[in-house]
Amino acid sequence: MTLTALSAAQLAHRIQRRELSALEVTEAFLERIAQRDQEIHAFLHVTADSARARAKKIDQELAAGRSVGPLAGVAVGIKDNICVAGVPATCGSKILQHFVPPYSATAVERLLAAGAVVLGKMNMDEFGMGSSGENSAYGPARNPHDPSRVPGGSSSGPAAAVAARMAVLTLGSDTGGSVRQPAALCGLYGLRPTYGRVSRYGLVAFASSLDTIGPLTRTIEDLALGLQCTAGHDPLDSTSLPDPVPDYLAALQRSIKGQRLGLVKESIGEGNTAGVRQAVQQTVEVFRSAGAAITEVSLPYTDYGIAAYYLVCCPEASSNLARYAGMTYGTRLSDRDLIATMMTTRGRGFGPEVRRRILIGTYALSAGYHDAYYAKALKVRRLIAQDYRNAFARCDLLLTPTSPTPAFRLGEKTTSPLEMYLADVDTVGPALAGLPSLSIPAGFEGKLPVGLQLIAPPLGEELLLSTAAAFERETGGRYLAP
Ligand code: GLN
């Protein structure tokens, strides 16, 4: 039996019944990392010693008859912009190369409390800015389905690791698509929860009005488990929602008969590859046979999504990243005088995409341009949110592709930032509107996975889960990554 092929639910179950030890599971994953990560480069930092120590602790607890959590012994990985106490958090940037956070993110604390074993920190586009993983200062991660292609981004490592069975569940962050798009390109489930559903405490800020933390997994049950263990109010995050956490695992069993599924007209036509269009058609048929009613809906402001997203995220990033000045956090280059220190540190510490965004953001906020760019983008954001409210008056949830293409080749889009930005056309809308959205593995184009996106009203995670679970049942899980 290959331990690394088991789901999180299966692993936890067997460990709890002591058919497997947490230590042998941890060793199996560490072994897999040693075999595969040379090529895939999903990890920036492997915490082998602390993982073994934790696994032993869990085995001792079980031997003493004490109860352990629902993720007992499950091998998890954490995107490098989410803090784990005592382990470097570089955010894929040179400027934080030696930064070691003194505390863990709430989402990480909650996974640990559920019994998870953290294997390490994962590769990513610098500060979450990118759609391919190629903006990592430490070199790109690769797509396990075809290592000449990107795994997507910015949660490149979290997606590549799960697809290559080097971890069974990972946490990514999604500002404009960074969990969903890499999940789609790697054949996984990836969830952006409702803004505020999972605490952002301990997530290094990129664009605070958009940032979320979400799980990536190979099965929908594991995704529900990951959300169950991380969701819920946190007094340490002022944007955290107070709403009680429902039983997400129970939602997996619900029928979708009579559910109204809206196919978003603007996102299913030209601009998508043949394989993506075909996956949409097939998926619609699957949902129809499961008893859902399919309607076509329009989101007229879709075309403005990318422009609005970049004019919201860059100003927020320029402000959030002002703290990396060589004073309090991270790398300091030069000590000549204050200005020289800041200029050298920021000029050399940040990569080109991060510098580009700081410049765009600063420009869009500056006197004389603020109203023309930033304030206008906020108005468009409101119109986009209104589009979704109108659509949800007519249907229960929406279906779009997650990405217009499957995984592209390394280097294919690096010379054109705009091409790269367009990889997010389908994912920025729900982000701007704060809506929960889930990418599900829904087909292949050749050997490359294709993902589709389900979008629900605020706090509609159960609806996303029950719909995805119905799809997984109807298709016998045949689109799941090998
Ligand atoms: N790819 C998008 C960007 O570059 C989304 C990033 C994210 O969600 N962190 O901004």
Side-chain angles (χ1 to χ4, degrees), residues 128-131 154 174-178 206 309-310 357 424:
M129 301 176 188
S131 309
S154 64
D174 189 309
T175 302
S178 283
F206 159 15
Y309 168 75
Y310 279 91
R357 295 209 191 184
D424 302 313

Side-chain angles (χ1 to χ4, degrees), residues 125 128-135 150-156 176-178 181-182 185 309-310 353 357 403 408 413 417 419-425 427:
D125 285 298
M129 301 176 188
S131 309
S132 69
E134 292 164 293
N135 292 337
V150 304
S154 64
S155 305
S156 51
S178 283
Q181 186 257 14
L185 271 44
Y309 168 75
Y310 279 91
E353 180 61 25
R357 295 209 191 184
S403 159
F408 44 94
K413 295 187 201 275
E419 280 265 304
M420 192 69 91
Y421 294 176
L422 288 173
D424 302 313
V425 274
T427 51

Side-chain angles (χ1 to χ4, degrees), residues 238-456:
S238 61
T239 61
S240 166
L241 296 171
D243 306 66
V245 177
D247 186 344
Y248 291 122
L249 287 158
L252 299 175
Q253 308 306 328
R254 259 169 241 161
S255 158
I256 62 162
K257 236 186 202 72
Q259 192 165 287
R260 298 165 306 163
L261 188 67
L263 200 51
V264 178
K265 202 169 79 189
E266 287 79 5
S267 62
I268 54 175
E270 52 176 298
N272 294 305
T273 61
V276 170
R277 286 201 301 268
Q278 193 187 351
V280 172
Q281 292 314 322
Q282 282 170 354
T283 303
V284 163
E285 286 318 312
V286 170
F287 283 131
R288 215 190 294 272
S289 71
I294 316 293
T295 51
E296 203 170 88
V297 296
S298 171
L299 299 174
Y301 284 98
T302 298
D303 279 355
Y304 302 97
I306 290 283
Y309 168 75
Y310 279 91
L311 283 173
V312 170
C313 82
C314 294
E316 292 189 23
S318 75
S319 160
N320 274 325
L321 272 54
R323 70 188 61 147
Y324 307 111
M327 300 296 140
T328 316
Y329 295 104
T331 307
R332 171 185 295 197
L333 300 167
S334 154
D335 258 325
R336 218 159 33 129
D337 56 49
L338 187 67
I339 299 296
T341 301
M342 285 189 183
M343 284 178 65
T344 312
T345 299
R346 291 171 66 80
R348 293 209 211 124
F350 289 134
E353 180 61 25
V354 175
R355 291 204 303 274
R356 178 179 298 121
R357 295 209 191 184
I358 291 172
L359 288 172
I360 295 174
T362 309
Y363 182 83
L365 287 176
S366 56
Y369 296 103
H370 177 280
D371 288 354
Y373 295 109
Y374 184 62
K376 190 175 277 176
L378 292 184
K379 289 178 190 164
V380 176
R381 182 179 194 175
R382 197 179 278 265
L383 291 170
I384 288 172
Q386 188 57 46
D387 264 1
Y388 285 102
R389 276 193 291 274
N390 296 341
F392 287 130
R394 295 182 45 216
C395 52
D396 301 306
L397 77 177
L398 303 173
L399 179 73
T400 74
T402 308
S403 159
T405 70
F408 44 94
R409 289 185 192 286
L410 278 118
E412 198 176 317
K413 295 187 201 275
T414 39
T415 50
S416 165
L418 189 60
E419 280 265 304
M420 192 69 91
Y421 294 176
L422 288 173
D424 302 313
V425 274
D426 297 308
T427 51
V428 292
L432 287 163
L435 303 174
S437 35
L438 169 66
S439 185
I440 64 172
F444 288 94
E445 183 155 11
K447 60 177 176 176
L448 301 174
V450 171
L452 296 185
Q453 175 176 237
L454 296 167
I455 309 166

